[in-house]
Amino acid sequence: MLNDRLISASERGPSGPRSRRPLPPWVSTTALLLPTYAWLTLAVFLPLLTMFVFSFMSATPMGKAPIVFTLKQYRAFIDQPYLVGIGITSLLIGFWTTLSCAVLGFLAAVALVRSTFGKTREMLLILILLPFWTNGLVRVFSWTMVLRENGFLDSLLHMIAPDAGSIGFLYTRYAVVVGLVHGYLPYMILTCYIALVAIDDAIVEAASSLGARWWTILFKILMPLAAPGLISGAVLIFIPVIGSFMEPRILGGRVGVTMGTVIEDQFTQAFNWPLGASLSFTLLAVVLAIFATFSGVLRRGTVA
């Protein structure tokens, strides 16, 4: 008892109960954010900074050639005009891939939210995520078996119409878009699904009770309210698609030359890392300029 009283008196102190002073808010915030930003710095920012420095060098800093810092690498689109056409091709492939994913992904998300419940919805979500569980190289090569001449698509057609010609379109830009849509469509479905799930069912029920047709509900209610999901999915798809190189190289053949394949060749074949780095950052700047140009339009469409 005496010990307990002594401990209690020591805790109270001379001027009353002793209270623990809380830590400043910035300490706890820093402690929570420090691991995340440390990992981002090591895994993302430092490699990007290194590549940015490489883009100003005259040669790859791993040989005996003298290193001089120059802007010559950023003149590649002027000194080699064919790169402009390749860049436009990459942007067009990215546009059509993103548009196809937006149409298919939004409709699939609407069907998932409005027509399925419980375990059925969970099973369909798992099936949507299946492409992420398979190797990307296997997915792309499987499309070569489907799209090539006398492949699976042709065999299916000839079962219905034996005298029909070949409809295989492997080694075309359409084949590249098909492969990219297959790989990136789940991003759009998931972002649209998250946006559509948050919409109150009472809004749709009120519109339906007032006589709104299904297309009015789809285009006037669901699409504007799900615009954040569509925009997020478009960003998640467009940026990696214009820099992809596996699908264009395997499914496009000779016509599958994109900025992604050119950049890959500079790093792996030509061993010209400064040029590859400068092309990468130029492409990144073009993408950021596109999104900056349309950000106002997208923001107004989301608010509306």
Side-chain angles (χ1 to χ4, degrees):
M1 295 293 292
L2 182 59
N3 292 336
D4 293 341
R5 291 178 182 176
L6 291 174
I7 293 173
S8 177
S10 65
E11 288 180 351
R12 286 176 175 273
S15 60
R18 182 181 298 173
S19 60
R20 294 183 178 179
R21 185 174 299 176
L23 293 174
W26 66 267
V27 175
S28 56
T29 303
T30 303
L32 290 173
L33 294 180
L34 186 59
T36 301
Y37 281 97
W39 172 251
L40 286 175
T41 300
L42 291 174
V44 179
F45 296 137
L46 283 181
L48 282 177
L49 180 61
T50 303
M51 286 294 105
F52 187 67
V53 173
F54 280 180
S55 68
F56 293 100
M57 293 182 177
S58 58
T60 304
M62 293 184 182
K64 297 182 179 180
I67 302 301
V68 178
F69 288 92
T70 176
L71 294 174
K72 180 184 68 173
Q73 308 297 346
Y74 284 94
R75 295 183 52 193
F77 287 92
I78 299 175
D79 298 336
Q80 306 176 47
Y82 74 93
L83 290 175
V84 176
I86 295 176
I88 294 174
T89 299
S90 301
L91 293 175
L92 288 175
I93 290 176
F95 170 77
W96 287 114
T97 301
T98 305
L99 180 62
S100 302
C101 287
V103 174
L104 298 175
F106 181 75
L107 295 178
V110 169
L112 197 62
V113 172
R114 307 301 305 175
S115 303
T116 61
F117 304 93
K119 292 184 178 180
T120 302
R121 180 182 293 180
E122 294 175 0
M123 182 185 67
L124 290 175
L125 281 174
I126 292 174
L127 292 176
I128 290 171
L129 293 174
L130 275 179
F132 291 119
W133 299 348
T134 57
N135 184 276
L137 196 60
V138 173
R139 291 201 311 265
V140 176
F141 272 111
S142 67
W143 276 110
T144 63
M145 300 294 104
V146 176
L147 302 178
R148 67 183 178 86
E149 188 176 352
N150 296 324
F152 178 78
L153 197 61
D154 274 358
S155 300
L156 189 62
L157 174 65
H158 293 156
M159 289 175 60
I160 302 172
D163 297 331
S166 174
I167 58 172
F169 54 93
L170 185 62
Y171 303 133
T172 64
R173 289 173 185 167
Y174 301 107
V176 174
V177 172
V178 168
L180 290 170
V181 169
H182 177 216
Y184 289 94
L185 182 60
Y187 289 107
M188 185 64 73
I189 296 178
L190 291 177
T191 54
C192 290
Y193 171 80
I194 293 171
L196 288 169
V197 165
I199 299 175
D200 192 352
D201 292 337
I203 299 175
V204 179
E205 293 173 0
S208 180
S209 64
L210 291 173
R213 303 287 186 178
W214 66 266
W215 56 83
T216 303
I217 296 174
L218 180 65
F219 293 106
K220 297 292 185 179
I221 298 177
L222 295 180
M223 188 174 291
L225 292 177
L230 278 167
I231 295 171
S232 300
V235 173
L236 288 173
I237 292 171
F238 184 78
I239 292 177
V241 160
I242 60 173
S244 62
F245 60 88
M246 185 169 59
E247 291 87 352
R249 192 176 295 280
I250 297 174
L251 299 177
R254 292 180 301 171
V255 301
V257 179
T258 62
M259 288 304 300
T261 61
V262 172
I263 293 171
E264 190 222 1
D265 287 340
Q266 298 305 314
F267 280 101
T268 60
Q269 303 294 329
F271 207 66
N272 191 350
W273 289 16
L275 180 57
S278 65
L279 292 177
S280 301
F281 281 101
T282 302
L283 190 61
L284 178 61
V286 171
V287 172
L288 293 178
I290 292 173
F291 281 112
T293 302
F294 290 99
S295 62
V297 178
L298 295 176
R299 193 180 300 113
R300 287 196 297 270
T302 303
V303 173

